[in-house]
Amino acid sequence: MDTVAQLTIVRHGQSTANAAFADAHARGVADHGLTGRDADIELTALGWQQATHLGHWLATRPADQRPDVVVCSPYLRARQTWTRVAGTAAALGVPCPEAVIDARLCDRLMGDLELLTPLMITQRFPAEAARLAADGPYTYRPPGGETFDDVVARVKAVLADLDRDHAGRRVLIVAHDAVVIAARHILDGLPFTELDAIIATTPVANASITRYADTGDGLELVEFATTAHLPP
């Protein structure tokens, strides 16, 4: 079956929500001070720096390892990441393709629980917190939101379109950890329980790289959630 020659999935750089959630958790408080929509969350200063390092990484790749096609989540933090990556690489003499925005690569939709910390959910929606604990994070459907099977369905459709439209080409996706997890579920056939154990030891960090290459029998994982291109 025809497939892309290489599939690289990059998670966006650190966002203001990533930083705020981590800070709230560390302080043991519920509120993080964020307002607005998840789709409009921006990169932090660190996130911009991580995107710059990604740009350097891309510019130093051999020509036959650079992407022919770039597809990006519509969320601001992903678009900002690619803008900085492409700008950095261009400044180093390596022009990059213009990104195509695909709405199906957005982060997991959390509906009424969007941008709520676990403590905020417990305080405002105790019944939902109990249902989440009972169902588990992959099966649970927040009100107005998605299960992980829903994320898998849309990511699977994107991958099928890429194989159809860009067989034999190198594709780079800029998106979210949920998209990376969905891709591994699809391409590696890993159940969510196994993926959960993998992520516990190797989290899909901000600006991390996950890469697949066509071996002749389909796409095979080359690296997962690597961050060697980032400073400690």
Side-chain angles (χ1 to χ4, degrees):
M1 183 176 66
D2 289 336
T3 185
V4 299
Q6 182 174 277
L7 176 68
T8 303
I9 311 175
V10 172
R11 187 185 177 193
H12 60 80
Q14 186 196 61
S15 72
T16 55
N18 297 145
F21 270 62
D23 177 67
H25 176 74
R27 293 187 294 116
V29 300
D31 195 5
H32 45 44
L34 294 173
T35 58
R37 303 188 312 150
D38 187 27
D40 299 327
I41 291 293
E42 298 183 317
L43 294 180
T44 62
L46 175 59
W48 284 107
Q49 293 171 9
Q50 291 170 332
T52 300
H53 288 295
L54 276 170
H56 280 277
W57 167 82
L58 185 60
T60 57
R61 300 287 292 168
D64 63 356
Q65 293 293 310
R66 298 176 198 146
D68 304 306
V69 177
V70 177
V71 189
C72 187
S73 160
Y75 282 20
L76 180 58
R77 54 190 179 272
R79 291 186 285 112
Q80 286 178 327
T81 298
W82 176 246
T83 297
R84 176 58 63 87
V85 170
T88 301
L92 295 171
V94 179
C96 297
E98 184 175 349
V100 175
I101 303 301
D102 193 320
R104 297 172 295 179
L105 293 174
C106 67
D107 208 348
R108 182 183 180 181
L109 301 177
M110 295 303 292
D112 293 347
L113 308 186
E114 183 175 280
L115 289 181
L116 299 188
T117 66
L119 279 177
M120 292 167 80
I121 295 171
T122 299
Q123 292 176 359
R124 300 182 190 182
F125 302 96
E128 291 302 320
R131 197 160 65 85
L132 170 58
D135 294 348
Y138 295 99
T139 304
Y140 172 70
R141 182 189 299 279
E146 294 180 305
T147 67
F148 243 87
D149 282 337
D150 295 326
V151 179
V152 166
R154 51 183 171 84
V155 173
K156 189 173 185 178
V158 171
L159 297 180
D161 287 350
L162 291 174
D163 285 339
R164 182 195 64 210
D165 298 336
H166 302 293
R169 305 180 78 191
R170 298 180 297 274
V171 176
L172 174 69
I173 289 175
V174 185
H176 311 270
D177 54 348
V179 171
V180 176
I181 294 167
R184 290 220 59 187
H185 177 74
I186 296 161
L187 297 173
D188 299 323
L190 296 175
F192 291 129
T193 51
E194 189 171 339
L195 281 168
D196 208 34
I198 292 171
I199 294 163
T201 58
T202 309
V204 184
N206 291 118
S208 63
I209 297 167
T210 297
R211 185 163 57 92
Y212 288 84
D214 182 17
T215 62
D217 294 317
L219 292 175
E220 183 174 306
L221 185 68
V222 176
E223 55 185 329
F224 172 62
T226 56
T227 56
H229 54 289
L230 301 175

